[in-house]
Amino acid sequence: MATVTEIREVRRWSMLGLGVFAQASSSVFIHGVPFLLPALTARGMALPTAGLLVAMPTVGLVCTLIAWGYVVDRIGERKVLVGGPLLMFAAGIAAALTHNDIALGALLFAGGVGAASTNGASGRVIVGWFPPHRRGLAMGIRQTAQPLGVGVGALTIPSVAAEHGVAAAVLVPAAMAGVAAIGCLAGIVDPPRPKLSEADPALRANPYRGDSTLWRIHAVSVLLVVPQATVWTFALLWLHRDLGWSLAAAGLLVTFTQILGAFGRIGAGAWSDRVGSRMGPLRTVAIAAVIAMAALGFTAWTHWWWAAIPLLVAASVITVSDNGLAFTAVAEIAGPYWSGRGLGVQNTGQNLVIAAVPPVFGALITATGFPAAYIAAAVLAAAAVPLVPKDRHQTLPS
């Protein structure tokens, strides 16, 4: 069986690329389907019904993240990275062929179930094949899959739906998932680990028992995803409604912040590799998120737009930079037999909060305005700072 040191460098990075592409295809299915709203409403579907329909992939994702993590821990990463995208592909093809809205919703749910597979599996591939001093960088690159998927969905799905219909637009993520399945079948190799019966009992032991480290990291990530989701969800509306920007100009700025955020994730991962710590940079990012969101709230309240716009850009980058750090730490601490479930719990908690932010903070904004929402997000980020655990070791785990 190959080891981390024996596998060729080009193979290691090619597997990272496949993991990013598989995760990006999932992101297009989850975050791109909502871009069908204009086409669905244009054909006469009520907005609440259309909103429920496009939410079905997210529902499928959240319901099965932990289950997929368990499957990863039992059968390995390669089979999951092939089977999950195949399910997305089949569900997407079937969704494109159906003319029944209930069946469409069920198939979009099934696609979300398939999309959930890539979260824990691609993360474990990275931790399994990259040495400790490269994992932060690699996981940061892997975390760019989400904004890449959102970007691909925004660029393709609305225009395809407008020109060729909803069915053709659903084929976009389905096609990507099919390519991902073929690529992972050919290019992914399961990271080495001893048979479960022969493994060190310490590796097989439940890392959640008798140790609060993983629970604290999950809690930190749940709290820090609030400012991230707040900025992502409401930045465009704030720029348009309070600052008077056109939707096109606001959209360009939001797209620019997404690109910067992707680089921020990579930079945070590389930083953690350099300093030999995940928790130190995570704590610093949490503090920076508090400062950025509080300052954004203050400048929005005072109408200091000359400062608020740069702060929005800074907050957009800072609030996403913790993701890769936390994911890497969870996979490393959970170990080869629990990392799938650990990453499943991590993803589930964050996605539940992301789903709750639009209605909860939307009501807060309606009642009190955008500045109060930014300040509330800063307060929740502040609660995360003392929860960041200390590093268990001075050097990163192998």
Side-chain angles (χ1 to χ4, degrees):
M1 181 181 293
T3 65
V4 171
T5 55
E6 290 172 350
I7 193 169
R8 291 193 302 170
E9 192 77 3
V10 65
R11 186 63 183 275
R12 183 180 294 130
W13 288 100
S14 70
M15 284 193 285
L16 172 60
L18 288 170
V20 169
F21 186 81
Q23 181 71 33
S25 69
S26 297
S27 182
V28 174
F29 207 109
I30 297 297
H31 302 291
V33 167
F35 292 121
L36 290 173
L37 279 174
L40 290 171
T41 53
R43 71 183 194 187
M45 184 178 290
L47 182 57
T49 303
L52 177 62
L53 194 64
V54 301
M56 294 311 294
T58 302
V59 176
L61 174 91
V62 172
C63 288
T64 56
L65 280 167
I66 296 176
W68 274 114
Y70 178 81
V71 174
V72 168
D73 291 334
R74 296 295 294 178
I75 69 172
E77 292 75 21
R78 181 172 179 266
K79 293 177 181 177
V80 170
L81 283 172
V82 174
L86 274 179
L87 177 56
M88 272 194 289
F89 174 74
I93 296 296
L97 296 175
T98 187
H99 299 288
N100 181 282
D101 290 338
I102 295 176
L104 177 60
L107 290 166
L108 291 177
F109 176 89
V113 172
S117 66
T118 62
N119 288 271
S122 57
R124 174 58 197 151
V125 165
I126 291 167
V127 172
W129 280 125
F130 280 81
H133 65 280
R134 292 279 187 86
R135 287 176 189 159
L137 172 62
M139 192 66 87
I141 294 173
R142 183 256 192 185
Q143 291 296 100
T144 65
Q146 184 182 46
L148 286 175
V150 173
V152 170
L155 288 173
T156 59
I157 289 180
S159 58
V160 172
E163 293 291 330
H164 306 287
V166 171
V170 174
L171 291 176
V172 173
M176 287 186 64
V179 173
I182 294 171
C184 291
L185 178 66
I188 294 293
V189 179
D190 281 336
R193 62 178 181 176
K195 293 181 179 179
L196 187 60
S197 59
E198 302 172 356
D200 184 337
L203 291 177
R204 289 181 290 167
N206 185 341
Y208 289 94
R209 289 180 181 171
D211 191 336
S212 64
T213 301
L214 285 175
W215 289 118
R216 290 177 65 175
I217 294 173
H218 295 327
V220 167
S221 296
V222 163
L223 290 167
L224 291 182
V225 85
V226 174
Q228 173 185 320
T230 301
V231 171
W232 276 14
T233 304
F234 298 108
L236 188 144
L237 182 62
W238 174 61
L239 291 168
H240 176 64
R241 199 168 80 179
D242 281 22
L243 278 69
W245 287 30
S246 69
L247 287 174
L252 282 175
L253 181 62
V254 172
T255 301
F256 176 66
T257 63
Q258 289 274 335
I259 296 171
L260 288 182
F263 284 107
R265 295 180 184 207
I266 296 173
W271 172 28
S272 74
D273 288 338
R274 181 176 293 275
V275 300
S277 167
R278 311 297 179 209
M279 297 299 99
L282 180 60
R283 185 177 294 105
T284 302
V285 169
I287 294 171
V290 175
I291 296 171
M293 293 303 297
L296 178 59
F298 177 76
T299 53
W301 176 62
T302 57
H303 296 179
W304 293 354
W305 307 133
W306 55 271
I309 299 303
L311 282 168
L312 174 65
V313 175
S316 299
V317 176
I318 292 168
T319 57
V320 301
S321 296
D322 64 286
N323 287 8
L325 299 171
F327 272 57
T328 308
V330 168
E332 289 176 332
I333 294 169
Y337 298 101
W338 283 85
S339 62
R341 278 164 282 187
L343 291 172
V345 172
Q346 177 81 2
N347 276 289
T348 299
Q350 287 191 304
N351 278 283
L352 286 173
V353 172
I354 289 172
V357 163
V360 173
F361 276 71
L364 178 62
I365 290 168
T366 300
T368 60
F370 287 96
Y374 297 146
I375 294 296
V379 170
L380 290 171
V385 175
L387 291 177
V388 178
K390 295 182 179 179
D391 283 302
R392 289 175 162 189
H393 310 289
Q394 291 182 341
T395 57
L396 295 176
S398 60

